[in-house]
Amino acid sequence: MLIRAKDRQRITDSLEQKLAITPDTSQWEILYELSQNFREYSRRDSVAMQKGMMYSQQAEQLALATNDTVKLIRSLSPLIYFYKRDKQMKDQADEMDKWRDKLLLEWGYSIPSNFDQWDGDSEVSLGGKFRILYDSLAAYNIVEVHRKMGDSNRVAFSISDKDLNDLPGSWWMRFRLRSKSDHWEEHIFFTGDGNSYWDTVEVFTAKMEGGFSHKFTGKALEPSEWDVADHPNHFRVSVPPEGDILVYLKVKGFPEGGAPEKLRIKHVNYESYLRDRVKTRHTNGIFQGVVLIQLFFFFLYFLATKDPVYGNYAIYILGLSIFMITVNYFENIDDLIQASIYLLSIWLSTTGMLMFSHSYLNMKELMPRWKTPLKVFLIVFTSFSLIIAGLLPYMVQGITQGGIGFLIPVLVGISSFVFFFLILAAVIFLPIWGIGTLRKGYEPSKYYLIATFFLFLGFLVPLGLSPFEQNLKEMGFFESIGVSTLIQGGIALQLCLFALGVGHKRNLLEKERREALEKIWRCKEKSMPLPIVLCPTNFCERLRESILDVHLGDQVEKNVTVFFSDIQDYTTLSEQLTPQQNFIFLNNYLGRVGPIIKTNRGFVNQYYGDGIMALFMGAENGINSPKDSVLAALEMHKELFLYNQERQEKDRSPIRIGIGIHTGPLMLGVIGDEKRMDVGVVSDTVNTAARMEGLTKFYGSSTIVSGATFDGMADTDGLHYRFLGQVLVKGKKEPIKIYDFFDGDLEEVALKKENSLLLFQEGLSAYFAQDFKGAVKAFSDVLHIFPGDQATLFYLEKAKMYLKAGVGENWTGVEIIGSK
């Protein structure tokens, strides 16, 4: 609290007046308060510093005269402060500082008369109130240690610059306990470092009749032999009334590793500790209850429905539950068993979460390209889990016993690094999948992403704040909760939101089922027979609100991207197959590539033999149909590559497809008669898209996109393409720019196109500028990089011809294409 200078002066005057009328033997409290008061405003006031030093010296002398060690220790703090500010007294301040530390050490630790003075803490450190002796051979007995440590100076109470595990032998600690109670009291103390325990702890307490009592505890003993239940490094000391007792500790760690890194002693407020433990158990119980309830619910639901979504989610919760139960309730089980349980739980929860995500997000349909990478990941993750399981006995042996050589630690290090890297990768997959499916319009992804956010938040926030936990407690935060509670809270919220998401998805499916049944009943209620309507849902939604309301003659005009694909040289291929084999082949091929159009927000308008005509509706609600159509084309080529690999394994020739895309106005409508209706499209846009597909053979491209489609793409980030010039297709009066998107080409072809891209564009620019000599040179250079490039060969021959024969005044470079 800030005190104004006027108020401070008033307080000082009052204290000095009180000092003048107080007997000499009762002046210490006033002198100490005056020294503290002058200390507060002596930084810029030399007179105040001199007066403060004078009162501190008087307080020190009075404490010495009355032989009161506690008052003497308190008097030295302000006096050392004033001496350090005086240049001539700095050496004396250092000596006095050492004297105060020695007094503190000899006086020992005064046990609080009331645990409420601990400000809610469950333990208090003895800090610099004990001495340390290192016994390198572990050969000293208590008599020798008592003699040696009685004369030794204080050693730093926390050794942070040395690794105690590198020092064999044992450590001795000596401290004195003082009590103001009027009866014997038993107190509990702890030595160790966090969750690192000493192998053995020997406790020696001085007896009133002489000698020392002796008892053992420590992690090397059976839990039933520990001095305090459930705590291997806690021990009890009985302190006499209004007296003191001398205590020695002898601690020893494992032969190699496992021992605490620091020497510490803490006084445990066992009542507060038990209250905190009960509170923690309640928190853990609530969390575990949430987890187990969900585990049983989703497991039973899986048995009832056989839906893999529920089964995979139950596997995830099972792994999580096993991990948290082990952490909260089985801390002291065998190290090898504990490590095996942790490994099993991590494998279960990670595998379950990935499989749940794949089924819940409907990735088989929405993100089919992830199917193979996920399988590979799970195989690799399971393999490393088995490797680590095989290495666990050696890992535990290395921690507890040592002597495992060089190779095992290297294998352990490498496999552990890869294992945790895989876990990190699995965690990163979750938001990527959620965002990817949400962008494709999958509504349940919202719950999935929110739940994943809380999972990340539950781990990252507490872990980020854990270094500042003590500071936050002092500021009033974390008083009733800790880092583990926040982590459990984040996981619990994530589980609840995932449960809501699963329920929401179930409701959506139920809603779709009800709507389908309603449509069937509506059809039955009509007196006239239901016409056979071959109408894609996406198509009919553009005509009427309901498919049942679609009638003959309905039509609408839209700006649409038309997509044509065709198998090249299919006639030759089909001649080698029987009609039945043709049907099987076409269904296999179309069954692979057709769904890709749907996942990219398009729909197939018509299958015509080996060809596909698909429509991508205009930009609505953030949808960019031109780019969607190009992405669909590139994914179809990638899927075709996988299909060709399967065909080659069966000694069947690979197939190639060409894809043409064009954007423009289109009339969509229903044609036919009352008994048989079909959908149709009428537009020059369709013909132009078909011409684009035909140009793929002419230019040796896998995908050709018109200028209208290219201009309609919001961006081309991540896509590779080259400008092929302008063409005038049959039936068109205006030339059309065309672009070759080559990400769908074979890898070696795409690489050659990319490496020769600048030279190709340079040649094309020279060609259209009628610099045919420069064009010949540039196109020749392209062929050195990419021999056999059809587009380059075409323009090279044209440039050579024009270089020799010349061109007319109206030459524009536009190629006239007379047929498909």
Side-chain angles (χ1 to χ4, degrees):
M1 182 177 66
L2 296 175
I3 301 177
R4 293 180 300 176
K6 184 185 295 184
D7 294 334
R8 192 181 300 280
Q9 184 62 48
R10 180 175 53 78
I11 294 171
T12 302
D13 293 342
S14 176
L15 288 171
E16 289 179 334
Q17 291 173 8
K18 188 175 180 180
L19 180 66
I21 62 174
T22 303
D24 293 346
T25 56
S26 304
Q27 291 180 346
W28 185 86
E29 292 289 349
I30 302 174
L31 290 169
Y32 179 74
E33 195 168 348
L34 280 168
S35 63
Q36 289 289 84
N37 198 45
F38 278 108
R39 178 178 176 176
E40 294 296 329
Y41 65 99
S42 64
R43 296 183 178 179
R44 298 182 181 179
D45 190 338
S46 59
V47 175
M49 190 182 79
Q50 292 300 323
K51 293 187 73 173
M53 186 185 300
M54 177 189 69
Y55 287 127
S56 299
Q57 290 170 340
Q58 291 178 14
E60 176 203 8
Q61 295 301 319
L62 186 56
L64 284 171
T66 56
N67 198 27
D68 191 328
T69 306
V70 175
K71 289 182 178 179
L72 178 59
I73 293 171
R74 293 180 64 191
S75 302
L76 289 176
S77 293
L79 188 56
I80 292 170
Y81 172 81
F82 290 122
Y83 279 7
K84 284 185 176 180
R85 291 183 56 79
D86 190 329
K87 294 181 180 179
Q88 297 179 353
M89 303 294 287
K90 282 190 175 181
D91 291 339
Q92 190 171 345
D94 293 338
E95 292 297 323
M96 194 169 287
D97 201 6
K98 293 178 182 178
W99 182 32
R100 181 184 59 180
D101 288 345
K102 188 172 183 180
L103 287 171
L104 281 169
L105 183 62
E106 291 301 326
W107 179 255
Y109 172 70
S110 296
I111 295 174
S113 57
N114 187 346
F115 282 129
D116 293 338
Q117 299 173 4
W118 291 22
D119 297 327
D121 291 333
S122 60
E123 58 187 26
V124 173
S125 175
L126 269 62
K129 298 181 177 65
F130 62 89
R131 291 176 179 171
I132 298 172
L133 176 66
Y134 174 51
D135 182 5
S136 60
L137 300 176
Y140 295 151
N141 58 41
I142 182 60
V143 176
E144 293 175 305
V145 170
H146 182 55
R147 176 176 53 81
K148 288 176 177 291
M149 297 189 77
D151 299 328
S152 65
N153 293 323
R154 180 172 68 91
V155 181
F157 73 93
S158 177
I159 300 179
S160 58
D161 58 340
K162 292 183 179 179
D163 186 355
L164 302 187
N165 296 318
D166 293 337
L167 302 174
S170 58
W171 295 85
W172 289 82
M173 290 176 276
R174 175 184 186 269
F175 58 98
R176 188 180 301 277
L177 301 177
R178 292 184 180 274
S179 174
K180 296 180 181 180
S181 175
D182 58 359
H183 59 279
W184 281 85
E185 288 184 338
E186 187 175 67
H187 293 270
I188 296 177
F189 295 86
F190 164 74
T191 179
D193 184 14
N195 291 324
S196 296
Y197 302 111
W198 294 105
D199 192 14
T200 58
V201 178
E202 297 183 58
V203 184
F204 300 86
T205 52
K207 297 188 291 186
M208 297 181 65
E209 65 273 16
F212 293 88
S213 64
H214 181 210
K215 61 182 175 182
F216 279 91
T217 189
K219 193 170 178 62
L221 279 65
E222 293 295 327
S224 60
E225 300 178 279
W226 294 345
D227 194 27
V228 177
D230 298 330
H231 301 284
N233 282 184
H234 283 58
F235 57 92
R236 306 171 190 267
V237 178
S238 295
V239 185
E242 296 183 352
D244 62 89
I245 187 170
L246 190 62
V247 183
Y248 287 90
L249 294 182
K250 180 183 179 182
V251 296
K252 182 173 173 48
F254 292 103
E256 289 188 18
E261 296 181 354
K262 296 181 181 180
L263 296 170
R264 286 175 173 168
I265 302 175
K266 293 183 177 181
H267 183 196
V268 179
N269 179 348
Y270 208 61
E271 293 181 4
S272 175
Y273 171 79
L274 288 176
R275 288 197 299 268
D276 290 347
R277 187 174 179 83
V278 170
K279 188 185 299 181
T280 302
R281 287 296 176 99
H282 285 166
T283 304
N284 293 342
I286 293 172
F287 170 77
Q288 204 63 50
V290 171
V291 173
L292 291 176
I293 289 172
Q294 291 207 31
L295 173 61
F296 285 115
F297 174 80
F298 284 105
F299 177 69
L300 293 174
Y301 216 76
F302 168 69
L303 293 179
T305 63
K306 307 300 181 184
D307 191 332
V309 171
Y310 306 116
N312 294 330
Y313 192 53
I315 292 173
Y316 165 65
I317 301 176
L318 176 63
L320 195 64
S321 182
I322 293 173
F323 186 90
M324 298 308 299
I325 289 175
T326 307
V327 169
N328 292 330
Y329 303 106
F330 298 100
E331 297 177 355
N332 299 313
I333 61 176
D334 181 78
D335 291 333
L336 179 57
I337 296 175
Q338 188 180 61
S340 301
I341 293 175
Y342 284 150
L343 178 63
L344 173 64
S345 63
I346 292 172
W347 179 81
L348 282 173
S349 56
T350 304
T351 305
M353 173 53 73
L354 292 177
M355 294 172 64
F356 161 74
S357 301
H358 186 268
S359 53
Y360 173 79
L361 295 173
N362 198 19
M363 291 176 59
K364 184 177 181 181
E365 180 179 343
L366 298 178
M367 301 177 73
R369 60 183 178 181
W370 274 95
K371 180 180 178 181
T372 301
L374 180 58
K375 284 184 177 179
V376 173
F377 179 88
L378 290 175
I379 292 172
V380 174
F381 182 67
T382 302
S383 301
F384 272 93
S385 300
L386 294 173
I387 292 172
I388 293 177
L391 292 173
L392 277 179
Y394 302 101
M395 295 169 67
V396 174
Q397 177 188 347
I399 294 173
T400 58
Q401 301 174 14
I404 58 174
F406 170 75
L407 181 60
I408 295 297
V410 172
L411 292 175
V412 168
I414 294 174
S415 57
S416 299
F417 173 79
V418 175
F419 182 73
F420 287 106
F421 175 79
L422 290 172
I423 294 176
L424 178 63
V427 172
I428 295 173
F429 289 162
L430 305 184
I432 293 176
W433 292 347
I435 294 171
T437 52
L438 183 64
R439 292 179 62 185
K440 292 182 181 293
Y442 189 61
E443 188 177 348
S445 299
K446 296 177 183 177
Y447 285 94
Y448 180 88
L449 284 172
I450 296 173
T452 304
F453 169 77
F454 276 106
L455 178 64
F456 282 17
L457 201 65
F459 276 97
L460 296 180
V461 171
L463 293 178
L465 294 178
S466 59
F468 314 102
E469 183 173 358
Q470 189 59 39
N471 303 70
L472 293 171
K473 281 184 177 180
E474 294 173 0
M475 296 168 60
F477 298 98
F478 283 173
E479 290 184 355
S480 59
I481 59 175
V483 171
S484 61
T485 306
L486 286 176
I487 293 175
Q488 290 182 355
I491 294 174
L493 283 172
Q494 174 245 346
L495 289 174
C496 293
L497 284 165
F498 270 145
L500 287 174
V502 172
H504 177 67
K505 181 177 181 179
R506 187 73 182 176
N507 289 338
L508 288 177
L509 294 174
E510 185 64 23
K511 181 181 177 182
E512 291 177 0
R513 188 181 70 85
R514 288 198 305 268
E515 289 177 350
L517 288 174
E518 288 175 3
K519 290 179 180 179
I520 293 173
W521 283 109
R522 286 173 58 190
C523 291
K524 288 184 177 180
E525 290 173 355
K526 292 187 176 182
S527 57
M528 59 181 294
L530 179 68
I532 301 174
V533 181
L534 299 176
C535 182
T537 304
N538 304 67
F539 190 113
C540 294
E541 284 176 351
R542 299 306 192 277
L543 301 176
R544 296 289 183 182
E545 183 176 347
S546 170
I547 190 172
L548 296 173
D549 297 326
V550 175
H551 300 290
L552 187 66
D554 285 343
Q555 57 187 316
V556 66
E557 183 175 359
K558 293 283 185 180
N559 197 60
V560 176
T561 297
V562 182
F563 175 108
F564 267 95
S565 75
D566 205 4
I567 298 177
Q568 296 179 359
D569 299 321
Y570 174 67
T571 302
T572 302
L573 176 65
S574 64
E575 290 173 351
Q576 303 171 7
L577 304 175
T578 66
Q580 183 181 8
Q581 290 173 333
N582 260 311
F583 270 100
I584 294 173
F585 161 70
L586 286 175
N587 283 324
N588 283 338
Y589 162 69
L590 296 175
R592 285 174 172 269
V593 300
I596 294 174
I597 294 172
K598 182 179 179 181
T599 59
N600 285 277
R601 296 183 284 207
F603 63 89
V604 176
N605 179 66
Q606 185 178 0
Y607 291 112
Y608 54 96
D610 61 307
I612 299 174
M613 174 185 169
L615 304 179
F616 292 78
M617 292 302 177
E620 297 176 0
N621 301 322
I623 297 174
N624 183 262
S625 64
K627 187 171 184 179
D628 287 339
S629 64
V630 173
L631 292 176
L634 301 180
E635 287 185 34
M636 282 180 61
H637 284 297
K638 292 177 182 178
E639 182 63 31
L640 184 66
F641 175 76
L642 298 176
Y643 182 44
N644 280 331
Q645 286 183 325
E646 294 180 10
R647 289 180 59 81
Q648 287 178 336
E649 290 174 1
K650 298 176 182 179
D651 295 327
R652 295 172 183 169
S653 57
I655 61 174
R656 293 185 62 209
I657 63 172
I659 297 176
I661 304 173
H662 178 59
T663 302
L666 193 73
M667 288 295 297
L668 300 89
V670 181
I671 58 176
D673 57 47
E674 292 296 333
K675 298 296 182 181
R676 177 65 169 87
M677 291 188 290
D678 202 350
V679 295
V681 292
V682 179
S683 175
D684 184 56
T685 302
V686 177
N687 297 327
T688 304
R691 303 297 182 194
M692 295 297 104
E693 185 275 319
L695 291 176
T696 57
K697 300 177 185 177
F698 188 80
Y699 287 97
S701 303
S702 60
T703 303
I704 287 186
V705 174
S706 73
T709 301
F710 182 86
D711 294 338
M713 297 174 67
D715 62 80
T716 56
D717 294 343
L719 301 177
H720 297 85
Y721 58 88
R722 59 179 183 174
F723 178 59
L724 289 179
Q726 299 185 75
V727 297
L728 188 65
V729 297
K730 184 177 180 180
K732 297 290 290 184
K733 297 181 180 179
E734 296 294 330
I736 300 173
K737 293 181 179 179
I738 57 173
Y739 296 84
D740 172 18
F741 279 77
F742 54 83
D743 284 313
D745 292 359
L746 294 175
E747 185 175 352
E748 60 270 19
V749 173
L751 184 61
K752 290 176 181 178
K753 285 185 178 181
E754 185 176 2
N755 292 337
S756 61
L757 181 60
L758 293 178
L759 285 172
F760 184 83
Q761 299 299 342
E762 180 184 332
L764 211 59
S765 297
Y767 178 83
F768 285 114
Q770 300 185 22
D771 178 12
F772 299 114
K773 183 176 181 181
V776 168
K777 182 181 183 305
F779 288 131
S780 298
D781 291 339
V782 171
L783 291 176
H784 285 298
I785 300 174
F786 185 14
D789 180 22
Q790 286 184 224
T792 302
L793 288 170
F794 170 76
Y795 278 113
L796 179 61
E797 292 302 318
K798 284 276 187 176
K800 288 180 177 178
M801 180 183 71
Y802 291 140
L803 182 62
K804 182 177 181 180
V807 295
E809 294 181 359
N810 297 324
W811 184 86
T812 60
V814 175
E815 293 301 322
I816 300 175
I817 307 298
S819 60
K820 181 174 183 266

